[in-house]
Amino acid sequence: MKRGKKDAAATKKEEKKMAKQSNAAAKEVDGPLPFLIRCGVCAFLCLLGILFAASGSCYSEVEQRMSIVPRLIFFFVTQASMTEILTLLGLQIARRICGENGFATWAATDKEMEVNDTRIQWPASELLSEELKAAAVSVRRGERQPFFLNHVTGRQRLKDTSIRIAMAVAALACVWYMCYCMDGRELTSLGLTLDRPFFVDMFFGLLVGVAIVMFMFGVELAAGWVIFLQFFEVFDKSERFSLCILLDVLFHIAVAINEELPVRGWMLYNLAEASVRHLQLTPTSGFLVAMILQSAFFVAMHLPSPGGTRPLSMLNIFVGGMAGGLNVLFTGGRLGFVLGWHFGWNISMGNIFGRSTSGIPISATFISVAPHPEKEDLHGGVFGPEGGVISPAAYLLGIVFLAWIYGVPDSTASASIFVGIEGVNMTNSTL
């Protein structure tokens, strides 16, 4: 008994020592002064981009503006810089809301970076059948979660949400900067029109996103890949279900903006335009080339996620990127539908049907399920349905819904997206 207490005390002491060392190391690189230096670097990069655009040193006669290559470089570097600054601010705001003070570093600690809180004991053993308990034991290796789902407290979810909102603001700021300062065009040219058709598109996109996830969930449940446990589960029993769900709604709204505006907005439009101009392609062919390139980048964005490097996960994310490009094409270049689809897909997958969304942790769900421990290759494991075998069928069903709502675009659909580009007569182009 005494030995057990000594071991526990020694472990606790070691944890405190490691945390202190981690904070001390982080303090060397994070704080108010380094943060201000980062702000200065970001401002310098933005000014440098404006000067480059004004000087004409990287001007392309074909594109009639700065060449796509240096613009892409400025796009990636500027967004990375803005994201770093604003996420640091977002984390400090979340810490204040949580009443946490005295951090030695402005950067996220190792604990704040965790995607699964091992203190949350899930699922309750009384909810599991004997078969499921046996299956869980047979696949358990070390500390790995046999049911693949990542859970965190609502407190941690607040920090995640604040950081993700900051990333969405950074994405919006970067795209605005690129449009006005580097491209010489309005933000609305990317499809962020914010008019009535835009919000109608968003509503339909939301419905389609939820519908196709419901289809996947139904197949998984009927096939026995996931097992129903209970309704309305919050994983930290001391927290409120409604507040946790609200945080996840805000989180996934921010995710949709943070991913769709730069990728299916700025990148897709500008890569398509550059392909048409440099390769002398028709609008449809140029748009297809751009869809492939932005889909490959979309895969790269998801590689750091738990399970993101599995071949099927990468393939499904690529298909999802192509589906997102078709969302833009079918709706005439507007971003409303793809934003609604993305949000509906994420929020329903994670917080309505209780599944993993690219490994993103959850703190509450309307329907709680346990993915079968022995069927990881079917349901996608920790990456969720996006890493499973049913995901391509869901994307295809979504495109069917998209075509049913908007019709199949003709040869003028791609051209209509490029209306207003100087020097290129696209309205008379053909497939």
Side-chain angles (χ1 to χ4, degrees):
M1 186 74 175
K2 289 182 179 179
R3 185 178 179 182
K5 288 183 178 180
K6 287 182 179 179
D7 290 343
T11 301
K12 191 172 183 180
K13 185 176 180 180
E14 184 64 23
E15 289 177 352
K16 287 183 177 180
K17 183 179 178 181
M18 291 176 65
K20 187 175 181 180
Q21 290 174 346
S22 176
N23 283 342
K27 189 175 182 180
E28 295 177 2
V29 296
D30 288 294
L33 181 58
F35 175 77
L36 292 176
I37 293 174
R38 287 186 176 91
C39 292
V41 170
C42 183
F44 172 76
L45 289 172
C46 292
L47 180 60
L48 186 64
I50 294 172
L51 293 176
F52 261 87
S55 68
S57 57
C58 296
Y59 186 80
S60 169
E61 291 291 344
V62 176
E63 298 179 46
Q64 299 182 13
R65 57 176 54 85
M66 181 186 287
S67 176
I68 185 62
V69 174
R71 280 191 293 134
L72 276 171
I73 293 173
F74 274 109
F75 172 71
F76 290 129
V77 172
T78 304
Q79 182 167 358
S81 180
M82 290 181 176
T83 298
E84 183 183 26
I85 292 170
L86 291 176
T87 52
L88 284 174
L89 283 178
L91 178 58
Q92 310 322 307
I93 293 171
R95 285 172 173 174
R96 288 296 184 94
I97 295 174
C98 291
E100 298 176 2
N101 299 308
F103 280 89
T105 171
W106 278 38
T109 63
D110 291 341
K111 188 65 180 175
E112 291 171 327
M113 294 293 290
E114 286 182 352
V115 295
N116 185 48
D117 192 333
T118 55
R119 297 173 301 175
I120 297 176
Q121 299 300 310
W122 185 93
S125 58
E126 61 268 18
L127 296 175
L128 301 178
S129 65
E130 292 302 320
E131 178 189 359
L132 209 56
K133 289 178 184 178
V137 171
S138 69
V139 300
R140 189 184 295 274
R141 297 182 181 89
E143 297 298 321
R144 200 195 81 172
Q145 162 60 272
F147 296 104
F148 309 103
L149 297 176
N150 292 324
H151 300 124
V152 294
T153 63
R155 191 181 193 88
Q156 178 59 39
R157 210 71 186 112
L158 171 61
K159 294 179 181 179
D160 295 340
T161 300
S162 184
I163 289 172
R164 187 61 73 161
I165 290 174
M167 292 173 69
V169 173
L172 180 61
C174 177
V175 171
W176 177 89
Y177 163 78
M178 292 301 300
C179 284
Y180 279 87
C181 300
M182 306 286 282
D183 302 340
R185 58 169 61 106
E186 298 287 330
L187 191 60
T188 55
S189 66
L190 303 184
L192 196 68
T193 54
L194 301 182
D195 52 9
R196 186 177 180 277
F198 175 90
F199 290 106
V200 171
D201 290 343
M202 187 179 292
F203 174 73
F204 283 124
L206 173 64
L207 293 181
V208 170
V210 173
I212 58 180
V213 173
M214 186 183 300
F215 159 75
M216 285 193 294
F217 178 76
V219 171
E220 291 181 332
L221 193 64
W225 302 348
V226 299
I227 294 86
F228 171 79
L229 298 180
Q230 62 179 333
F231 291 107
F232 302 103
E233 182 169 22
V234 58
F235 300 105
D236 185 337
K237 305 306 179 186
S238 66
E239 295 176 337
R240 291 167 54 190
F241 176 85
S242 58
L243 182 57
C244 289
I245 291 295
L246 175 61
L247 290 173
D248 275 304
V249 168
L250 295 175
F251 178 90
H252 287 299
I253 289 174
V255 167
I257 296 171
N258 175 51
E259 295 185 0
E260 295 301 331
L261 187 55
V263 180
R264 248 76 68 180
W266 189 88
M267 185 180 293
L268 180 60
Y269 186 101
N270 283 277
L271 287 175
E273 176 194 6
S275 298
V276 169
R277 290 180 180 273
H278 285 283
L279 303 178
Q280 297 298 304
L281 299 176
T282 64
T284 300
S285 298
F287 201 84
L288 178 60
V289 170
M291 281 173 55
I292 294 172
L293 294 175
Q294 62 86 21
S295 296
F297 178 71
F298 198 51
V299 172
M301 288 174 62
H302 287 79
L303 290 179
S305 301
T309 56
R310 295 174 68 241
L312 190 54
S313 298
M314 292 189 288
L315 176 61
N316 287 340
I317 291 298
F318 182 85
V319 174
M322 295 296 285
L326 290 177
N327 286 180
V328 178
L329 177 61
F330 278 49
T331 58
R334 296 192 300 271
L335 293 179
F337 191 93
V338 72
L339 284 166
W341 171 315
H342 199 145
F343 171 71
W345 173 282
N346 281 0
I347 194 66
S348 58
M349 189 178 294
N351 301 100
I352 295 179
F353 300 113
R355 300 289 278 111
S356 178
T357 308
S358 306
I360 295 174
I362 56 177
S363 58
T365 180
F366 284 90
I367 300 174
S368 181
V369 297
H372 199 290
E374 296 179 345
K375 299 180 179 180
E376 178 180 2
D377 291 338
L378 296 174
H379 58 61
V382 70
F383 200 69
E386 291 170 319
V389 297
I390 197 65
S391 185
Y395 287 127
L396 178 60
L397 180 60
I399 298 305
V400 170
F401 282 134
L402 179 65
W404 178 57
I405 296 170
Y406 294 96
V408 178
D410 57 21
S411 60
T412 62
S414 299
S416 67
I417 298 174
F418 297 95
V419 170
I421 295 178
E422 297 178 5
V424 179
N425 183 13
M426 299 204 176
T427 56
N428 295 325
S429 299
T430 62
L431 285 170

